[in-house]
Structure formats: structure tokens, C-alpha cells
């Protein structure tokens, strides 16, 4: 039987929540990158989670997610380099927008596609209302 979050200690719950957040981020951006996954080698803690990203340009990053935001900590998967990278991004979208022109292009194309889909739904709904309006004249 699955363990509920109620029976977990606060630390276990925080670790689980940080990992869930990282997994959600990966699902949100997977369409616009070549590859994204939770790091299998770096440990998740109550304060930090790590995940790997390969952009459509083929660049690889190890990204740290913490309360401070997102930052690139290595140029290879599962790597935290000794270089101090102090640039934090508030969202994964801001980080990818800065480091991947193809992400920006793919994001824009996806947005246009969604807007066109909404417009078609709206037009269909408007056309449906005009063709199926009840006859107001008595018979």
C-alpha cells in the first residue's frame, strides 16, 4: 500500500516535494528540449534537487533547483562544477530562454498553436450558435 504524505516526517515530505517539483518542471519543458531527466547520481535533499537538460542545440546542463531558483551548476549531466555560477533564474523558462534560442522558438510556436486552437474553438462555438438557434416564431 502506498505511503501517504501524512505519515512522513517533515524532512521526508520536503525531499519528496522538491523531487516532485523537479519532475513537474521536466514534464513542462520536455516538449521544447531534446532531453530532460532527474539526476540519478546527485542526491535530492530538502533544499536542493538536480536535473539534467540537453537543449535542442545539443548543449548539456546540470540544473540545480532550490528555494533561490534555478541555476546551471555543470556543463555535463550529473555534474556540479567547482566554478561559482551565481546566476539564479526565477523560472526554468527564464533559464532556458537565456541559454537556448531553439527553446524560445519552440515555446513561441507552441503558444501560437494553442492560440490558433482556441480561436478555432471560439469560431466553431459562434458558428454553432448561429446555425442551431431555436425558431422564435410560433408554429
Amino acid at each position: 500500500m502506498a505511503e501517504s504524505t501524512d505519515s512522513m516526517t517533515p524532512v521526508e515530505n520536503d525531499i519528496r516535494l522538491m523531487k516532485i517539483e523537479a519532475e513537474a518542471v521536466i514534464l513542462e519543458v520536455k516538449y521544447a528540449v531534446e532531453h530532460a531527466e532527474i539526476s540519478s547520481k546527485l542526491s535530492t535533499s530538502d533544499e536542493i534537487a538536480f536535473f539534467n537538460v540537453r537543449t535542442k542545440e545539443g548543449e548539456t546542463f546540470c540544473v540545480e533547483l532550490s528555494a533561490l531558483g534555478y541555476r546551471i551548476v555543470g556543463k555535463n549531466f550529473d555534474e556540479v562544477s567547482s566554478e561559482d555560477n551565481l546566476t539564479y533564474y526565477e523560472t526554468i523558462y527564464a533559464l532556458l530562454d537565456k541559454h537556448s534560442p531553439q527553446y524560445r522558438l519552440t515555446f513561441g510556436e507552441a503558444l501560437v498553436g494553442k492560440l490558433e486552437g482556441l480561436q478555432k474553438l471560439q469560431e466553431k462555438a459562434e458558428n454553432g450558435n448561429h446555425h442551431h438557434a431555436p425558431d422564435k416564431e410560433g408554429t
Side-chain angles (χ1 to χ4, degrees):
M1 194 153 128
E3 185 177 0
S4 77
T5 55
D6 294 340
S7 63
M8 299 177 88
T9 67
V11 171
E12 289 171 329
N13 198 34
D14 286 347
I15 291 171
R16 182 180 167 132
L17 290 176
M18 188 60 73
K19 186 173 182 181
I20 289 170
E21 177 71 20
E23 289 170 347
V25 165
I26 288 169
L27 288 175
E28 287 182 32
V29 300
K30 210 164 191 160
Y31 75 94
V33 297
E34 189 176 298
H35 179 79
E37 67 180 5
I38 297 287
S39 173
S40 59
K41 295 180 181 175
L42 300 173
S43 298
T44 298
S45 74
D46 56 340
E47 297 175 355
I48 295 175
F50 296 95
F51 58 95
N52 300 311
V53 174
R54 180 179 300 113
T55 66
K56 289 193 173 189
E57 293 86 359
E59 289 198 52
T60 57
F61 304 121
C62 183
V63 178
E64 172 194 283
L65 168 59
S66 71
L68 297 173
Y70 300 83
R71 72 176 177 141
I72 296 171
V73 294
K75 294 288 187 179
N76 296 302
F77 285 0
D78 305 312
E79 171 190 87
V80 178
S81 73
S82 58
E83 298 174 19
D84 286 336
N85 185 351
L86 300 177
T87 305
Y88 283 90
Y89 298 87
E90 190 172 324
T91 66
I92 189 63
Y93 312 114
L95 183 149
L96 289 171
D97 190 61
K98 174 76 174 172
H99 294 278
S100 174
Q102 281 294 317
Y103 167 79
R104 196 174 319 126
L105 180 64
T106 302
F107 180 83
E109 290 170 349
L111 184 59
V112 167
K114 287 180 182 181
L115 290 172
E116 287 173 347
L118 286 173
Q119 183 179 11
K120 287 178 184 177
L121 281 173
Q122 184 177 7
E123 288 170 358
K124 186 176 179 181
E126 288 173 357
N127 289 336
N129 288 339
H130 293 288
H131 295 300
H132 299 294
D135 187 352
K136 293 191 180 191
E137 294 179 19
T139 49

